[in-house]
Structure formats: structure tokens, C-alpha cells
Amino acid sequence: MGRTGVLRAYARVARLEYLPAELLLILIPLLLAFELPHALGNRLTSVAEAVIVFFLLYLTGFIVNAITDVEVDRTYSTFKSSVSEAVERLGRRRLSLLVVVQVLAALGLSLHLAWLLQQWLLLGLVGLGLFLGLGYSLPPFQFKTAGAGHGLALALSAFFIPMVFLSIVVTNSVDPLILLLITGFTLAQYALEFGNQAADFEQDRKADLSTPPVRYSVPSTLSFGLVLMVLGVALLVGSLFALSSSVGGLGRLHPALAGVNGLLLMLVIVLVGYAGPFRAMLHLHGMAILRGEVDPSVVRHARWQAAGSLSTMLACALLFGAAVLGPVVAPPAVPFVDEVPQVSFAPDEVWVNAGDATILAAATYGDTEDGSDLHTDWVIAGGFGTYNQMGQRSYNHTFTTPGDYQVTVTVTDGAGNRAQDQMVVHVVQLDLALVSVTVDKRGLNEQMNLTLVVKNDKEKRSPGSLEVSVSYRNLPADLYHNEQILAHGQEWVIRATVDVSALDTAPEVVVHLQTANGQERQMVVSATDGH
């Protein structure tokens, strides 16, 4: 068999028709890392390793399933018979060896990521994902024939665990709202699997495989799948709405998307993505009730998954775009009182860096709960002028000169009733004199691990405009490696491994700091110091 034949057989065994959906799945946790653009260069290697781990294990799951099902797949009248043929062409022994290599490579990369990021939970996630993914097909577990165990193993190993893994690598944590979104996405995507199983019902029944349709009947399984999809989409949309509120709304992208308009846009995007798969599942359900079986040619499982993943990714892309525009002064929750205009800032003073785009937001309510009936006037003291627009709750402004500015917002309804509130914006220039660097040295004999923390000692002054880089003195370039510069809220954490066995002089770490307006400072820290 030539090289082309081998590649085609591998594509069939590894089920590369699912690749578009998996590429979209990867983008979702990346887009939800709202601070990613500010630190992407520093995390690019880690993200790349995480993506490689994801694909190695995903492809491994498909290959193991193809090997264990080779006899059953041969009896199918669907495309699965070609999967069995591809396994025979490549050879079960060769494929088993490939599985071992892929698993070892994934474990090695995961161990490196866990050590580099000091996130040992990553190893636990990979271990659990491997157990569920391999146990899905391999005896003695074979979760795919265990009824409810099928759903738990497949949903966790194929969707939930990989997305949480990627989210931790990118953000070094998992936000509860992002966890809720991943849960909703997992339920909606797994629900589509019931259509795929319904198509295999007859062959699975003859092979005595106790899949959910065989155990609980095709109509019952499809009914449960439809309910599960609705629940998953509801959680997905709800978490998107909550995340939108946390980043200041889609009005940051365009005024027309402010308030309820932005929420409706995300709702439409998600529903459009899942409308086709839902109709197809509903059609299968009716077919199963009327005929007692379904037509396998109707099932387009890979296409359904891609449609749902694409819609979710697009909604997350909108949130990503809104989040990266600049800092937000979030509006407080104000109880709605009909016909009485209200406006309120919270807090009543904020600190921002000169040159940073700032979204000033206020809660406004009038004859409609979203405040769309109100004329909103924004006035910033200092000669910036007045901004006026119907129903606009936020004002995007870039303060370039340090100082204290009073911002006044006035809302007026159609009857001439008015409400007003004020806040103070303290515009500061990031003072590099306030930045401190501490060093932590750990290691033995030939190597030491350095961890430096660069922190702005003035809490209210955001370090968002600060750029950090490092260099070394008394240390050749080939003696330090694994360098990472990671942003953690108000801190920058620098990690590096230094080979010190051949050094006569203690190396020094030179931390270079630069602000958006060109301020520079250089700080030298001895690698022998420890705090």
C-alpha cells in the first residue's frame, strides 16, 4: 500500500471528518481567555503544547475504538465498514504501537505543562480523560455498552475535560461562568451522539452491544437527546449572557449592540447553529416512532457537531472582541421602577492608566427596563465636550493626560423627567518607581529554578500598560531555558531554569520595564538573592 493509501486509511481510522468540529472546539476556551492578547507571546508555547496533547488523545480515542470494533464494523452497511477495512490495511499491531506512542507523547507534554505552569491539576485531567477515553472502548470497562456510563465517559472525555484542560493552560484558572458554558456545550454536543447511535441500532443489536438505543429503545433515546440538547443550549446561552455582562456588553464593539441587542445577537447565533441538528433529531424521532427504525443516511453527526461548535465559537468571538477593547467600569444593579428615570455609577471613582481605552458605564432605567427610551448625555470636565445618544449606557473614551476628571451623566425621558449622577476618573501615569521585583530561587547543585514577581505596589493603578522582558548577565544563552513570562492579574511572573554547574560567578537577572508612553526602567536582581 502506497503512502497515499496509508494516509487515507489513517484518516478513516482516526475519523478526521470530525476535525473541523474539533478545531472549533479548541477556539472556544482560547476566545474566553479575555486577557490573552496581552500575554499571548508569553503563553504561545504552552498553548501549542496543550493543543498537541488534545489532538494526540482525541485521535487515540478514535483509533482504539476502531481497533476494538473492527469485527462489528465489518457487518455495518454504513461508512463504518470502511473503518474496519482501514484497520485491516494498516494492521492492528501497527495501530496499537501508534496508540502507545501517542499516549506517551501526550503524557510527557502534559507533565511538562504541569511543571511549567505549576498546575498539577492538568495531569489529573489528562489521567481521567485517558481512563474514560480508553475505557470507552476497551475491556473490562467498555463504557460505550454500559448505558448511562456511555454518556458519562464520552461527554467528559470528548468535550468537558479537554476544554477545561485548555482553559487552565490559557488562563491558569477556570472561571465558574466559563465552567458553566463548557457544561452547556458538553450537554448540547453529547445530545447529538444519540442520533449517531440510533443509526447504528440494528447492527449494535445484532452484535449484542448494549448501547443506549438498544437498552432503552430508539424513540426513548432520541427523546432524551432532544431534552438534553435544549438543556445544554439553555445553559450555553445563559452563561454567554452572564459573560457578556462581566465584560461590559457587546456595546463595546458597536453602539447598536448595546444592551439587549447584543444579547439577542448571541442568542440568534447559537440557535441558528443548533436549529439544523435539532430539526434532524426531531425528524429521526418521528421516523423511529412511525417505522420503528431510522434511515442512517439522514444522520450527519460530524456536520451537526461542527454547526454547534461554529455557532458557539462565533458567540465567544464576539465576547472576546468586546473584552479586549479596554477596562470597564461596570454598572451596578439598580431595581427597575417604571416611568421614573434612574442613573447610577458604581463605584463613584476609578483609576485608569493614561492612554488606555476606558469604557465608562452607568445603569440607566426609564419607561423601559433597558433604558432604551432615554436620551443620555455624557459630560467630561476638562474640555472634552458632550456625548449624546439615545439609550446609550456606556461611553468609550481614552484619557491621554494624567489628572482627575469629573464625569457627569444625565438621562432624560420623553416627558422631560431627568436624573443625574457623577463620578471621578483618576487618570495616572504608571510610575515605574512604584514597581518592585522579588526573586525566589529553588534548586540543587546543577540547576536552579528562578521565579520573579513583578508587581505594581499601588493597588489601584492597573499594570495593564506595562511591558516586561528579561535578560541575563554572567550567563551564556545556552545555560537558561524554559523561560516563561505570564500575566497574573496585577502581577507579572517570570520563570526560568538556569544551569549553574559551570558558572564561577553568580548570574544576575535584568528585568526591563516599559510603559505605553515610553517610560523605561531597568532593575537588576541577583539570582543568589531569595525572598
Side-chain angles (χ1 to χ4, degrees):
M1 182 169 52
R3 181 179 300 178
T4 302
V6 170
L7 292 176
R8 286 178 179 173
Y10 179 80
R12 179 58 70 188
V13 171
R15 304 298 296 275
L16 294 189
E17 68 267 21
Y18 286 96
L19 187 60
E22 306 320 315
L23 290 173
L24 294 169
L25 182 150
I26 288 174
L27 289 175
I28 293 171
L30 297 184
L31 290 171
L32 292 175
F34 297 141
E35 77 276 15
L36 185 61
H38 305 297
L40 180 58
N42 304 318
R43 303 184 190 182
L44 194 57
T45 302
S46 299
V47 172
E49 285 187 37
V51 171
I52 293 173
V53 171
F54 171 84
F55 276 114
L56 284 174
L57 296 182
Y58 218 94
L59 296 175
T60 294
F62 279 122
I63 294 172
V64 169
N65 191 57
I67 295 172
T68 56
D69 283 359
V70 63
E71 301 298 336
V72 176
D73 288 346
R74 188 177 291 117
T75 66
Y76 281 57
S77 58
T78 62
F79 68 95
K80 284 193 173 182
S81 59
S82 63
V83 177
S84 175
E85 294 173 3
V87 170
E88 298 297 352
R89 287 182 182 179
L90 294 174
R92 302 185 199 185
R93 185 174 180 179
R94 181 190 296 178
L95 286 173
S96 299
L97 179 61
L98 180 61
V99 165
V100 172
V101 172
Q102 290 181 173
V103 168
L104 290 177
L107 288 174
L109 290 173
S110 301
L111 179 62
H112 178 252
L113 280 171
W115 171 81
L116 190 65
L117 302 177
Q118 294 299 296
Q119 280 285 359
W120 300 105
L121 176 60
L122 295 174
L123 275 181
L125 289 171
V126 169
L128 179 60
L130 266 174
F131 169 71
L132 295 174
L134 298 180
Y136 177 80
S137 302
L138 293 174
F141 301 104
Q142 287 191 305
F143 295 121
K144 65 181 177 181
T145 64
H150 177 283
L152 188 65
L154 185 59
L156 289 178
S157 64
F159 304 108
F160 187 84
I161 291 176
M163 295 180 76
V164 172
F165 177 86
L166 289 169
S167 184
I168 292 176
V169 170
V170 176
T171 65
N172 219 30
S173 63
V174 179
D175 185 280
L177 288 178
I178 295 178
L179 202 61
L180 183 64
L181 184 145
I182 292 174
T183 301
F185 180 81
T186 297
L187 294 178
Q189 289 288 307
Y190 176 68
L192 302 175
E193 175 65 20
F194 289 117
N196 199 36
Q197 294 171 1
D200 295 339
F201 167 75
E202 192 60 35
Q203 288 82 359
D204 288 343
R205 184 180 61 81
K206 291 178 180 179
D208 200 26
L209 295 178
S210 185
T211 60
V214 173
R215 176 173 291 193
Y216 305 113
S217 82
V218 175
S220 297
T221 303
L222 289 173
S223 296
F224 181 73
L226 289 168
V227 172
L228 199 64
M229 190 187 305
V230 171
L231 176 60
V233 170
L235 287 176
L236 187 58
V237 171
S239 57
L240 286 170
F241 284 4
L243 286 167
S244 174
S245 176
S246 72
V247 301
L250 297 188
R252 303 178 68 181
L253 289 174
H254 192 279
L257 297 178
V260 70
N261 291 342
L263 301 181
L264 286 175
L265 177 60
M266 288 193 296
L267 175 63
V268 169
I269 290 175
V270 173
L271 292 183
V272 167
Y274 282 98
F278 185 84
R279 286 197 304 268
M281 290 276 287
L282 203 59
H283 177 58
L284 289 176
H285 183 264
M287 193 182 300
I289 292 176
L290 294 175
R291 304 181 188 175
E293 60 181 4
V294 300
D295 181 3
S297 65
V298 177
V299 178
R300 296 288 185 269
H301 185 233
R303 189 178 301 174
W304 297 346
Q305 279 199 347
S309 298
L310 177 61
S311 66
T312 307
M313 186 275 293
L314 290 176
C316 292
L318 289 175
L319 290 178
F320 182 80
V324 299
L325 290 181
V328 177
V329 181
V334 177
F336 170 61
V337 180
D338 189 23
E339 298 182 352
V340 178
Q342 300 177 67
V343 62
S344 178
F345 282 119
D348 56 7
E349 62 177 347
V350 294
W351 281 257
V352 300
N353 284 326
D356 283 352
T358 304
I359 306 294
L360 303 171
T364 60
Y365 295 97
D367 290 335
T368 59
E369 188 168 353
D370 63 359
S372 59
D373 63 309
L374 299 176
H375 285 278
T376 309
D377 295 294
W378 295 82
V379 179
I380 301 179
F384 288 111
T386 301
Y387 177 78
N388 175 277
Q389 185 169 341
M390 173 75 81
Q392 186 66 27
R393 289 185 174 190
S394 61
Y395 177 34
N396 188 344
H397 185 77
T398 300
F399 295 90
T400 57
T401 305
D404 297 332
Y405 299 90
Q406 181 172 284
V407 179
T408 303
V409 60
T410 304
V411 294
T412 309
D413 64 14
N417 299 312
R418 302 174 64 193
Q420 188 177 88
D421 197 17
Q422 294 178 331
M423 72 179 302
V424 177
V425 179
H426 304 284
V427 182
V428 297
Q429 199 71 62
L430 185 61
D431 187 357
L432 294 183
L434 297 174
V435 175
S436 64
V437 177
T438 59
V439 60
D440 180 31
K441 181 197 73 172
R442 296 182 184 181
L444 296 172
N445 300 327
E446 298 184 354
Q447 285 193 341
M448 67 178 176
N449 297 322
L450 288 177
T451 300
L452 294 90
V453 178
V454 180
K455 184 176 182 180
N456 189 345
D457 292 334
K458 185 79 171 177
E459 282 187 8
K460 292 183 178 180
R461 299 188 181 187
S462 165
S465 299
L466 187 63
E467 293 185 7
V468 179
S469 60
V470 293
S471 59
Y472 302 88
R473 294 177 180 172
N474 306 325
L475 184 64
D478 60 343
L479 294 185
Y480 62 90
H481 51 93
N482 297 329
E483 182 180 276
Q484 291 279 307
I485 305 178
L486 306 174
H488 291 286
Q490 300 223 350
E491 298 179 350
W492 291 83
V493 178
I494 305 167
R495 294 194 181 103
T497 300
V498 180
D499 296 324
V500 296
S501 58
L503 295 179
D504 297 324
T505 305
E508 294 178 327
V509 184
V510 183
V511 182
H512 306 270
L513 309 174
Q514 184 172 359
T515 63
N517 69 338
Q519 282 190 77
E520 293 188 22
R521 183 183 177 192
Q522 182 171 289
M523 306 177 72
V524 180
V525 182
S526 174
T528 60
D529 293 337
H531 290 59

